Each structure stands twice: as C-alpha cells, then as structure tokens.
Amino acid sequence: MSIIVNKDKKIFLLQSKNNSYAFGIDNLGLVRHLYWGSKIESIEDFEMPILTEVSTNDPVFEITKEEFPVYGSLRYKEHCLKATFSDKTREIVYKYQDYEIIKEKKIEELIIKLKDDNYDFYINLHYKIYEEYDLIERYVSLKNMSNDIIEIEKIHSGQFHIPYEDLNFSNVHGHWGAEQQRFVQKVNYGKIVIENRRGISTHNHNPYFILDRDATETSGEVFFGALKLSGNFSGVIEQTQYGETLVQLGINSHDFKLNLEPGEEFVAPSILSGYTNGGFETMTHNLHKFAKDNVLRKGLRPVLYNSWEATEFKVSCDEQIKLARKAKEIGAELFVVDDGWFGERHGIDNGLGDWYVNKEKFPEGLNPLIKEVKEMGMMFGIWVEPEMVNPKAELYKKNPDWIYHFDTRESDTSRGQYVLDVTKKEVKEFIYNMLDELLTTYDIDYIKWDANRPISQSSVKKDIWYKHIEAIYDIVKELKIKHPNVLFEACASGGGRIDYGILGIFDDFWTSDNTDAYDRLAIQDSYSYIYPIKAMRAWVTDCPNFLSRRVIPMKFRYHSAMMGTLGIGCNILKFTDEDINLSKELINEYKQIRHIIQEGDFYRLENSSKNRYSIYQYNKEDESLLFVFLPQSEIGHRGVTIRLRGLEEDSNYILKLEEKQIIKSGKYLMNHGIDFKLFGDYDSRIIKINKIVR
C-alpha cells in the first residue's frame, strides 16, 4: 500500500519505493507536515508534536508547519491561498472534515477534505503517489457551494517543508537565444522568487525547484518539484527563522483574480515532486522514466528536416520540393515547411491570422508538395502560430475585438503582431476549426506551433493569464482526439514553453532558437536535469551560426544534435558532395542508435580532466553510448579518464576505442574507467558499448 492511515492519530503516511512523506491533523484541525525523506516503514513512529509559541510575536500559526497555509489569523508567512468572500471577509479559517483514498490501477490518490468554518467553501488537498518512480503529484481543488461569488486572489498548488538550512537552490535563467542556463545559489535568510509574468513563455526561469545538501550527480540529498503550468507561474523559496526551508509553486498572483462562481470547482495545476538521497542522477532518472512511461507518446521520434534556414519567408512549392528531395537523399523522415506558406506572409508584418495557402507560392495548394513528400516515404509537417494576428491581416480587420486590448489604449505590437484573446469562445473555436480544417484537408503528420510574443493589454478579466494556456491545452487535446497520429511541437520564440504542463499535450520541445552546437551542449545539459531527452528537438544548422558567428565542423554539429531528437535545418541545396555523404553517414548512425538516446537512461558524466570535455552516457538494456566532446583544447592537451555509470558490475562489455576493440568488466569500466583523448578544437566521438550476452 502506498497510503497508510492512522485514524486515531489522524496521521497519513505516503510511501513510494524508497521514500516516505508524512503529515497529520492536529487538535486545531490544521494540516501539519511531519516528514519528507528516506523510507520509514512504521506509521506508529510518527507523533503530532504539541505546538507552543516562541513569544507573542511568534504565534503558533506562524511557526506551524502547515501543508497548505492560507491567508488569515496570526499568519504572516507565505500563504498558498487567499480569498475574498461576498461579505468582504478576507480571511480563511479551514477545518479538517474527512479524507478519501482513490485507487486507479497501481496508483493511489489521497484527498484531504477541508471546509471553511463559516462559508460553504471547500478546499481539497490531493496527493497522488507514483510508487515505482518515487514521485508524488500534489495539487489543490477549490469548490464554491455557496450562493455567492468567491474571489480567489492567490493560489499556489502546495507548500513543501525541508528540515534543513543553507541548502543549494538550482534552476535556469536566460532569455531568447540563451535559454536553459543552469545556476546554483545558496539559500539564506530572505526569499528567492522565480516567476513568469508574460503569459506566453518562460525563457527567464523555469517552473521547478531543486534543493540539495551539497549533492553530486551520484550522492547527496535532493528535493525537487516541477509545476505543470506553461503560463504565469511563481515559486518562492524561503529559509525561515525556525530552522527549515519552505518552497511554494503555483499560479503567479501578479495581476491575478479568479471569480469562483456558485457551484463551480477550480483545479489548480499540479506539482510533480520527489526526494532522493542518491544525487541529481537519481532525480533525473525518476522524472525521465515517469515521463517516458506515463506522459510522452509512444514510439521513436522521426529525423526531421525544416526549411526555415534554406528559404525563410521565400517559400515556394518548387523550392520546397527540391529541398524535400535533398532531405530524403540524406535520410530525413519528416519534412517540415516553416513560416511563409500562408496568407500574405512575406515577412513578419502580415499574414498571421489568414491561414489560407498562398496561391502565388503554391498555385495548386499544398497537395503537390505533400504528394511528392509522401511518395518519397517521408512524413509532412507545417509551421503555425495560431495565437497571434498581424494588424494588416484580414482576420484582424474583420475582428478587431478578438485581441487582448483596452478600449481606451493603443494596443502594443511586438514582432509586428497582436495576441488573440483565446479565452473568448469564438476565438478558441476559430483556432480549433482552422487547425482541424488544415489537418482534415491535407495529409499532415506534424505541427510546429510557435508563439513569438508575450501578452499585453490583458483585458479587464484577471484570470486570462491562466485561462489562456488552459485554452491552448484544450485545443490541442481536442485536435489529437480527432487526429490521433499528428505530432505537435511546442515552440515559443525558441525554448519558451518547456514544462510538464505542456509535455504530453505537445510531443516535442523546441529547445532554443540558438542552434550553435557548442552553446547547445550547455542548454541541453541544463534541460536534462528535469525534462526527458525524447522530447528535446535538436538541429544541425549552417555555419557561421546566425547568433554566435562560430564556424563548427559538421561532425561536431551532428553529434551535438544527435543527443536529442535529431533535426536538420541547414540549406541542404548548398551542400557539397562531402557534406551530403557525411550527413548520410551520421543520420544513418543516428537511426541505428536513437532507441538508446530517446528511450534509454541519461547520465551526465564527470570530467576528471583539466581539459574542457563534456561527456554523456545513454543506457538501454544491454546497449550503451558515450558522447564525448572537446570544444577547445586547453594548454597541456590532456586526455580524460571516463568512468561509466549504470552497468552491471559482473558483466563484460565490448567497446571500440579508435581502432582498438577492448573488453572490460562493468566493475572496471565504472570504477577504473577508460582513458580517452580528443585533439584540437571541436573534436567529438560517439562510442558504442555492448554487453556480452552469454
């Protein structure tokens, strides 16, 4: 059983494979946290401590380890919920009512039922245990059973209590073209806040927390949680004066208010959380395995070719057919037409919203191109940006009230476009019908869904920040019911929509518009801590790179992109014979090993050298891969000893180093390791390792 209850003590113990999470109900009816850490088998070990005030300036409510603190009474700490009732009371006084356990297949869910002491306002705390993955999914649902509207001013999905001080907090920072840059900072007194206020994208921070006690990849305590939300989020990390560290995640209360109508229920986005004493590697494996088994669409992702760098907006049927033939020649399996195929789309200032095929570029529609692509045995994909409209577009001229706006203000344009108010029923229906018609009319296998600007003039309703992304989720979910074989890629001006809220609704993440192969090593490394490799699109593009101006050898560019789901974005019409042959060779190699990359376990290996090696390993059953990169050789030109991970100690493995084939035990490879050396700048290798099966 993953949920154990002591009814007399009113204590609840949540058990996963290696961990325990405990809380209980005290004599005041408060839900109080007791424990989160390595497994404790007996619920009888847990007691509800009696609380005493430190002083009148440190009241009991302030120091109580509440699972879900609310606004009101002598609470001055961060709260998860703030509401205003119809009589203007701005305080919640909850009382514990009951609990319920729901069992579905192997998953158990505990619901703690709370009710306001005076109003018909119900708060349910949900805990879903994924025992095999050592993960707990937490969320809260609110129900208004009164006859009046209740205004929700703040809702965070849960609070976590970590019984340590001086922890390390890590997340990512960045901006367009420089997303997913991992940082680590010491938690001290005061609050760390991460957030998004833009409505559309999360380039700057990502909705998760990692807190560790000087952990390494393979050792040390790590507490973590990822919010399932693609819009405005906030996270607060605080070391308290009472010897613990608190974390909250949820909807950003910036410019937020939700009117909960009589009889209405609201379910907040959930947090996928976990604990390990096995370092960052175990955290990564638990999250990746959960995503691969339960969230992501089954099957291997195809090798993609995208036309953007070759043509930009100058799309034409004949040119796309030329590109498709060359893409087929090098081994692509999916051909994607990017921006420029629709409306009067010759640049960024027109076309968005007018989703008809441009007759000058495609005189006979898309079918001649699609027919060619399909006859070559490739899948066909297309780029869209459904949330946006250009001021010059016919859609805007006919429906100027469909954008986010204030009647007395001039609406902002960014990248020459407005944001459509997707929370309006007619706008949501327009986007769904447009995409449904596109997918019904044409044999399309892949949608690249972009979103290139944040929301502004967000209307008088303060719930749109959340309801906008809910509407996007709904549209794609409905489309996938009707068109179940279509793959959807989440692109938001680069890597702006990477989170567990959109993962599974969309199938791929566009990781960044920065396709520089060296920069991507850092971006992909940071991404890997939380998110699965199978959803990470990575491209080979032309040099000099449009952002970095670097010139990097093609083999290094391919190897960097082969660490995820491979895509090619070069102008392949300009490829030399040497480029073509190398591309064929490396794409074919990727196809032979992608099952290990996309579905295997991922390891960030230690670099023991003074030289700047980046080393990664993938394991799947009896097969392993090593990716070794040396972007720049440092003075001394040292090699590196690579110690592998995740092998069977008593099994033997065969691997090829340069021209020499060696056989070593798993114990040797993991403890002694192999000596390896790359030379010069932008050198890289992929090394295959196979278990010898007797």
Side-chain angles (χ1 to χ4, degrees):
M1 288 179 64
S2 55
I3 299 172
I4 304 169
V5 181
N6 185 318
K7 294 183 179 180
D8 294 332
K9 292 183 179 180
K10 293 183 181 177
I11 289 176
F12 302 88
L13 181 60
L14 312 182
Q15 301 281 52
S16 61
K17 184 168 58 177
N18 298 296
N19 302 327
S20 295
Y21 189 101
F23 60 89
I25 314 300
D26 71 6
N27 60 313
L28 297 177
L30 300 178
V31 188
R32 285 170 52 188
H33 180 80
L34 296 174
Y35 178 75
W36 188 20
S38 295
K39 198 162 191 174
I40 298 174
E41 301 289 350
S42 175
I43 193 171
E44 306 306 324
D45 287 337
F46 292 96
E47 303 286 347
M48 182 62 68
I50 302 298
L51 278 178
T52 57
E53 292 182 345
V54 176
S55 74
T56 55
N57 281 300
D58 300 275
V60 167
F61 279 115
E62 184 69 2
I63 62 177
T64 302
K65 296 180 180 179
E66 289 185 87
E67 280 286 289
F68 193 77
V70 297
Y71 179 83
S73 191
L74 291 166
R75 291 184 185 89
Y76 307 99
K77 57 192 177 185
E78 286 286 335
H79 48 272
C80 288
L81 179 63
K82 186 178 182 181
T84 299
F85 297 96
S86 59
D87 60 5
K88 303 306 177 187
T89 296
R90 294 189 301 111
E91 179 176 71
I92 297 170
V93 179
Y94 73 79
K95 296 293 183 184
Y96 169 74
Q97 286 195 307
D98 199 359
Y99 75 91
E100 180 183 2
I101 296 175
I102 299 173
K103 296 182 180 180
E104 185 178 345
K105 295 181 180 178
K106 294 181 179 180
I107 300 168
E108 290 188 330
E109 181 176 0
L110 172 66
I111 305 172
I112 301 298
K113 300 181 178 182
L114 312 174
K115 180 186 177 298
D116 188 86
D117 197 35
N118 185 66
Y119 304 94
D120 287 330
F121 180 51
Y122 295 83
I123 307 166
N124 289 333
L125 309 181
H126 299 254
Y127 301 79
K128 191 178 288 187
I129 298 92
Y130 300 104
E131 187 172 4
E132 177 187 349
Y133 309 95
D134 274 329
L135 297 173
I136 298 173
E137 187 171 1
R138 290 186 59 181
Y139 64 100
V140 59
S141 60
L142 309 175
K143 193 160 189 180
N144 178 9
M145 296 303 292
S146 74
N147 296 319
D148 302 298
I149 292 173
I150 300 172
E151 293 180 356
I152 308 301
E153 298 177 50
K154 179 181 179 180
I155 180 163
H156 273 181
S157 298
Q159 177 162 277
F160 297 88
H161 296 257
I162 301 168
Y164 303 118
E165 298 175 291
D166 301 318
L167 294 168
N168 303 305
F169 166 69
S170 54
N171 195 266
V172 289
H173 71 91
H175 54 79
W176 174 83
E179 304 91 331
Q180 298 286 328
Q181 297 183 65
R182 186 169 184 259
F183 69 89
V184 181
Q185 67 186 85
K186 186 66 73 174
V187 181
N188 210 304
Y189 296 105
K191 297 177 182 178
I192 298 171
V193 177
I194 54 170
E195 64 174 359
N196 176 50
R197 296 184 174 190
R198 289 167 163 78
I200 292 291
S201 51
T202 55
H203 294 82
N204 309 122
H205 293 118
N206 205 270
Y208 68 80
F209 72 88
I210 302 172
L211 289 162
D212 73 271
R213 299 185 72 202
D214 297 326
T216 68
E217 276 293 307
T218 56
S219 66
E221 291 185 277
V222 183
F223 301 81
F224 58 93
L227 181 68
K228 291 185 172 183
L229 176 62
S230 311
N232 282 9
F233 76 92
S234 65
V236 181
I237 300 92
E238 179 185 11
Q239 179 173 294
T240 75
Q241 288 75 20
Y242 308 106
E244 66 170 350
T245 301
L246 304 178
V247 187
Q248 289 186 18
L249 280 175
I251 297 171
N252 198 329
S253 57
H254 165 74
D255 197 43
F256 174 80
K257 185 175 72 175
L258 176 72
N259 286 333
L260 199 62
E261 302 285 341
E264 186 179 4
E265 183 176 30
F266 176 76
V267 180
S270 62
I271 306 167
L272 194 62
S273 59
Y275 161 84
T276 177
N277 59 10
F280 300 118
E281 183 177 282
T282 302
M283 173 194 73
T284 292
H285 287 178
N286 289 347
L287 285 168
H288 285 198
K289 191 171 190 310
F290 174 81
K292 287 182 290 188
D293 290 351
N294 302 282
V295 181
L296 290 170
R297 184 196 296 252
K298 304 303 180 189
L300 296 175
R301 298 292 181 265
V303 176
L304 171 156
Y305 177 80
N306 182 285
S307 68
W308 174 252
E309 284 202 4
T311 60
E312 295 191 353
F313 294 107
K314 296 175 183 177
V315 177
S316 71
C317 185
D318 291 343
E319 192 78 359
Q320 294 296 305
I321 288 173
K322 287 179 187 175
L323 284 167
R325 288 172 179 161
K326 192 64 74 171
K328 174 63 178 178
E329 182 184 350
I330 63 173
E333 300 161 313
L334 164 63
F335 182 82
V336 180
V337 178
D338 210 279
D339 199 351
W341 60 270
F342 56 91
E344 295 303 312
R345 189 68 167 171
H346 307 293
I348 63 171
D349 64 343
N350 202 351
L352 290 177
D354 299 338
W355 297 102
Y356 59 85
V357 179
N358 184 287
K359 289 295 184 183
E360 292 179 12
K361 299 178 180 183
F362 295 90
E364 299 176 58
L366 292 175
N367 279 328
L369 170 61
I370 295 174
K371 181 173 179 290
E372 288 274 355
V373 169
K374 297 287 178 170
E375 286 178 351
M376 287 185 271
M378 289 191 292
M379 303 163 67
F380 180 79
I382 204 158
W383 179 97
V384 293
E385 192 173 1
E387 295 158 77
M388 309 300 169
V389 64
N390 291 123
K392 294 180 181 179
E394 289 300 314
L395 180 73
Y396 177 70
K397 292 173 183 176
K398 292 176 182 177
N399 304 282
D401 60 330
W402 277 17
I403 66 168
Y404 291 116
H405 71 284
F406 298 124
D407 290 338
T408 61
R409 302 296 184 208
E410 182 179 349
S411 296
D412 297 321
T413 56
S414 178
R415 204 173 185 263
Q417 58 200 49
Y418 298 131
V419 185
L420 290 169
D421 184 349
V422 190
T423 67
K424 288 187 172 184
K425 182 173 180 288
E426 60 271 30
V427 178
K428 183 178 178 182
E429 287 177 351
F430 165 79
I431 293 174
Y432 172 83
N433 291 334
M434 175 273 291
L435 288 166
D436 178 46
E437 183 180 358
L438 189 67
L439 294 172
T440 302
T441 305
Y442 298 107
D443 189 5
I444 294 171
D445 305 288
Y446 192 92
I447 292 288
K448 183 179 176 71
W449 182 309
D450 213 339
N452 277 302
R453 62 151 292 181
I455 293 172
S456 60
Q457 285 86 37
S458 57
S459 89
V460 294
K461 293 183 178 179
K462 294 184 178 180
D463 59 3
I464 69 98
W465 300 103
Y466 181 69
K467 289 191 173 179
H468 180 100
I469 194 61
E470 272 199 321
I472 300 304
Y473 292 166
D474 290 344
I475 291 167
V476 180
K477 285 177 184 176
E478 288 297 315
L479 287 169
K480 290 178 90 168
I481 290 170
K482 189 170 180 182
H483 308 278
N485 296 320
V486 177
L487 290 160
F488 284 79
E489 178 185 322
C491 176
S493 190
R497 277 183 177 157
I498 295 177
D499 57 79
Y500 272 92
I502 215 160
L503 184 64
I505 298 171
F506 286 71
D507 304 291
D508 287 349
F509 289 142
W510 179 230
T511 325
S512 175
D513 280 346
N514 184 346
T515 55
D516 176 272
Y518 173 59
D519 288 348
R520 269 300 184 98
L521 290 180
I523 290 169
Q524 293 169 181
D525 185 285
S526 299
Y527 166 101
S528 73
Y529 277 80
I530 299 291
Y531 300 109
I533 300 300
K534 188 174 182 177
M536 183 179 75
R537 271 289 164 193
W539 285 10
V540 181
T541 57
D542 287 325
C543 282
N545 182 269
F546 82 104
L547 269 178
S548 69
R549 305 299 178 192
R550 285 194 191 99
V551 176
I552 296 176
M554 184 172 281
K555 187 181 77 166
F556 190 100
R557 281 182 273 152
Y558 265 99
H559 284 171
S560 176
M562 287 164 69
M563 285 185 60
T565 54
L566 177 62
I568 298 93
C570 305
N571 185 352
I572 49 180
L573 297 178
K574 294 183 178 180
F575 270 17
T576 64
D577 289 343
E578 183 182 355
D579 294 335
I580 292 287
N581 291 331
L582 183 58
S583 294
K584 283 181 180 179
E585 177 189 329
L586 292 169
I587 291 171
N588 183 62
E589 181 181 11
Y590 179 76
K591 290 176 182 177
Q592 304 305 312
I593 61 177
R594 67 174 150 189
H595 63 288
I596 311 171
I597 294 167
Q598 294 183 20
E599 297 186 339
D601 296 329
F602 178 75
Y603 296 82
R604 296 171 293 267
L605 298 189
E606 179 187 5
N607 174 26
S608 61
S609 173
K610 291 292 185 183
N611 232 326
R612 293 192 295 172
Y613 289 92
S614 294
I615 313 162
Y616 303 96
Q617 180 184 349
Y618 300 78
N619 289 355
K620 182 173 172 58
E621 297 168 352
D622 296 337
E623 299 176 283
S624 294
L625 297 170
L626 265 182
F627 281 70
V628 187
F629 299 90
L630 182 64
Q632 184 180 45
S633 187
E634 302 285 344
I635 190 168
H637 309 288
R638 295 185 187 178
V640 61
T641 300
I642 302 173
R643 295 176 179 86
L644 278 68
R645 299 283 304 149
L647 305 180
E648 294 177 7
E649 288 190 350
D650 297 327
S651 294
N652 287 328
Y653 293 83
I654 186 168
L655 60 154
K656 189 175 181 181
L657 292 179
E658 302 304 329
E659 298 304 315
K660 187 171 70 171
Q661 192 165 277
I662 65 171
I663 296 174
K664 298 292 180 185
S665 69
K667 188 176 288 187
Y668 178 91
L669 292 171
M670 290 191 291
N671 293 297
H672 179 280
I674 55 174
D675 294 327
F676 194 75
K677 192 171 186 179
L678 296 176
F679 297 90
D681 294 344
Y682 300 117
D683 198 3
S684 59
R685 294 287 188 282
I686 299 175
I687 302 165
K688 300 179 183 69
I689 303 160
N690 290 296
K691 185 176 117 177
I692 299 173
V693 181
R694 300 188 186 278

